[in-house]
């Protein structure tokens, strides 16, 4: 039996992508140790991405890079995945992207075209850094909580957990880190907490069976199911109105 | 704890006050250091305050993120 194929798609050409790329490398190492057939696309062009997905047909596509609601970018911001253009390539695959906004339009569109699931952020993925660690992103204590959680989803999927389980593990991890930073005396903690809440509430898993946007148990207020509007959609709505 | 619903401008005022208080307690050199990564932008604590002051797209996002953390929802 051939090992399951996993395709990693990552780019690194500015500070945000350099951080995400460095952290995703840890998941790639883990995939290799687990015996997966790993395809590592670094700074891919659209052509390279399409050719690889078509010819290799990986079960999982895990990526990091810049995104907008309907696109995901590769090499030097080249759009390599676009809603209703080539998202049909994700059919029969599970896709997880560490990127801004892609779960708003690209994710649902990909699932409509046959993707098994899509996990991503429906708003901007925001994170904190400590300037002293810019050369060592994986040691950055401010960025740690954000990418430790982002990586959690990758690890969970590689361990064979379901999309729902992987999503829930990430939410639990966000809550763990929020609790941690609440107890830390660092003056930057309050802002780190703000953005951990933000990233937690905007993470979404889209499957054919439905969405996973479970309100986290540690939210400082209660929402009834009838008035739940995912934070990202609310933000977009508000920003458009303002 | 129930949701407290407030208008955006009121939310902005609360957030701005909180952010300024936080920023002013930081050592002076830390106020200009890179701290928050939003899209391709790298923002210092001073930049965060400025974005809310100028009510930019990011400023609005900061208000939404901060006010939700504080237990409010907004109406427009």
């Amino acid at each position: 039996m051939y090992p399951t194929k996993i395709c990693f798609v990552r780019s690194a050409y500015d500070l945000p992508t350099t951080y995400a790329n460095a952290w995703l490398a840890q998941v790639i190492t883990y995939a290799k140790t687990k015996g997966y057939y790993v395809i590592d696309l670094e700074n891919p062009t659209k052509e390279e991405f399409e050719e690889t997905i078509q010819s290799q047909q990986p079960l999982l596509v895990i990526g990091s890079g810049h995104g907008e609601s309907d696109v995901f970018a590769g090499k030097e911001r080249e759009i390599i995945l676009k809603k209703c253009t080539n998202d049909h390539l994700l059919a029969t695959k599970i896709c997880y992207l560490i990127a801004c906004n892609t779960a708003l339009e690209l994710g649902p569109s990909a699932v409509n075209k046959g993707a098994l699931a899509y996990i991503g952020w429906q708003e901007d993925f925001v994170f904190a850094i400590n300037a002293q660690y810019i050369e060592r992103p994986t040691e950055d204590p401010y960025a740690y909580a954000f990418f430790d959680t982002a990586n959690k989803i990758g690890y969970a999927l590689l361990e064979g957990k379901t999309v729902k389980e992987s999503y829930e593990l990430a939410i639990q991890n966000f809550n763990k880190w929020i609790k941690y930073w609440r107890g830390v005396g660092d003056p930057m903690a309050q802002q780190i907490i703000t953005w951990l809440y933000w990233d937690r509430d905007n993470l979404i898993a889209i499957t054919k069976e439905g969405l996973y946007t479970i309100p986290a148990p540690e939210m400082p207020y209660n929402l009834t199911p009838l008035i739940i509007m995912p934070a990202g959609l609310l933000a977009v709505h508000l920003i458009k109105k303002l | 704890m129930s949701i407290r619903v407030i208008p955006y401008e009121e939310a902005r005022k609360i957030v701005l006050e909180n952010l300024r208080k936080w920023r002013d307690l930081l050592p002076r050199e830390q106020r200009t250091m890179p701290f928050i990564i939003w899209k391709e932008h790298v923002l210092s604590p001073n930049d965060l305050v400025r974005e809310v002051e100028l009510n930019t797209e990011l400023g609005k996002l900061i208000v939404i993120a901060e006010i939700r953390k504080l237990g409010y929802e907004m109406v427009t």
Side-chain angles (χ1 to χ4, degrees):
Chain A
M1 190 177 156
Y2 295 107
T4 304
K5 291 178 182 174
I6 315 289
C7 182
F8 289 92
V9 187
R10 54 195 182 128
S11 50
Y13 49 88
D14 58 11
L15 191 62
T17 52
T18 300
Y19 261 69
N21 177 61
W23 278 88
L24 191 57
Q26 297 184 344
V27 184
I28 296 172
T29 302
Y30 183 70
K32 287 176 181 169
T33 62
K34 293 284 282 184
Y36 286 105
Y37 183 102
V38 172
I39 305 149
D40 186 10
L41 278 179
E42 261 195 287
N43 297 308
T45 61
K46 179 171 177 261
E47 195 182 339
E48 287 165 345
F49 172 76
E50 289 182 340
E51 197 281 322
T52 304
I53 299 294
Q54 276 174 327
S55 63
Q56 298 292 330
Q57 291 296 322
L59 173 66
L60 265 175
V61 178
I62 300 177
S64 70
H66 283 297
E68 295 292 344
S69 61
D70 60 342
V71 298
F72 176 64
K75 184 179 184 180
E76 302 289 341
R77 271 197 173 272
E78 179 179 339
I79 292 169
I80 60 171
L81 186 57
K82 186 174 167 66
K83 171 191 167 188
C84 295
T85 300
N86 61 354
D87 56 350
H88 61 278
L89 295 175
L90 297 178
T92 72
K93 299 162 188 66
I94 295 170
C95 181
Y96 167 47
L97 297 181
I98 305 165
C100 294
N101 305 92
T102 59
L104 265 183
E105 294 182 52
L106 178 59
S109 174
V111 172
N112 279 337
K113 291 177 182 63
L116 298 175
Y118 194 96
I119 308 174
W121 276 267
Q122 54 182 346
E123 248 294 345
D124 299 319
F125 177 77
V126 182
F127 62 96
I129 62 162
N130 182 323
Q132 293 172 1
Y133 290 84
I134 281 176
E135 301 299 322
R136 295 168 287 152
T138 55
E139 295 171 34
D140 188 326
Y142 293 167
Y144 201 96
F146 298 88
F147 288 104
D148 176 64
T149 308
N151 277 3
K152 233 10 163 225
I153 297 173
Y155 293 133
L157 291 170
L158 292 172
E159 285 163 6
K161 296 208 165 35
T162 65
V163 168
K164 180 174 184 281
E165 288 167 340
S166 304
Y167 169 80
E168 287 173 349
L169 279 171
I171 297 299
Q172 284 167 20
N173 210 58
F174 270 127
N175 288 336
K176 180 194 86 176
W177 281 112
I178 288 167
K179 192 174 174 187
Y180 167 83
W181 279 104
R182 276 194 188 134
V184 170
D186 191 306
M188 305 314 240
Q190 77 157 69
Q191 272 300 304
I192 291 171
I193 292 168
T194 296
W195 298 109
L196 285 172
Y197 269 121
W198 179 259
D199 288 339
R200 183 195 70 179
D201 294 350
N202 286 303
L203 177 65
I204 186 169
I206 305 162
T207 69
K208 284 203 178 306
E209 292 73 41
L211 308 175
Y212 297 111
T213 56
I214 305 161
E218 290 189 12
M219 290 284 277
Y221 46 80
N222 298 314
L223 296 173
T224 65
L226 284 176
I227 61 166
I228 290 172
M229 181 187 279
L233 295 175
L234 176 66
V236 168
H237 173 72
L238 288 172
I239 287 170
K240 278 180 184 168
K241 282 189 80 177
L242 295 170
Chain B
M1 191 175 173
S2 59
I3 305 168
R4 287 164 287 175
V5 181
I6 54 170
Y8 173 76
E9 271 310 315
E10 196 181 325
R12 192 164 83 92
K13 204 175 145 190
I14 293 168
V15 169
L16 197 49
E17 195 179 317
N18 276 0
L19 275 178
R20 282 174 174 154
K21 267 188 206 162
W22 164 72
R23 187 265 320 266
D24 292 348
L25 286 172
L26 297 175
R28 200 159 285 277
E29 67 278 8
Q30 205 167 1
R31 297 177 196 176
T32 54
M33 284 174 82
F35 177 45
I36 293 295
I37 307 294
W38 175 68
K39 293 186 181 290
E40 67 274 21
H41 306 289
V42 182
L43 301 147
S44 68
N46 273 347
D47 295 328
L48 292 174
V49 173
R50 196 172 305 117
E51 296 288 336
V52 178
E53 284 172 344
L54 297 174
N55 209 17
T56 61
E57 186 193 353
L58 173 59
K60 288 168 186 167
L61 190 140
I62 293 168
V63 171
I64 293 165
E66 279 287 318
I67 210 71
R68 285 176 64 89
K69 185 186 76 175
L70 296 173
Y72 290 91
E73 283 293 341
M74 280 181 299
V75 288
T76 55

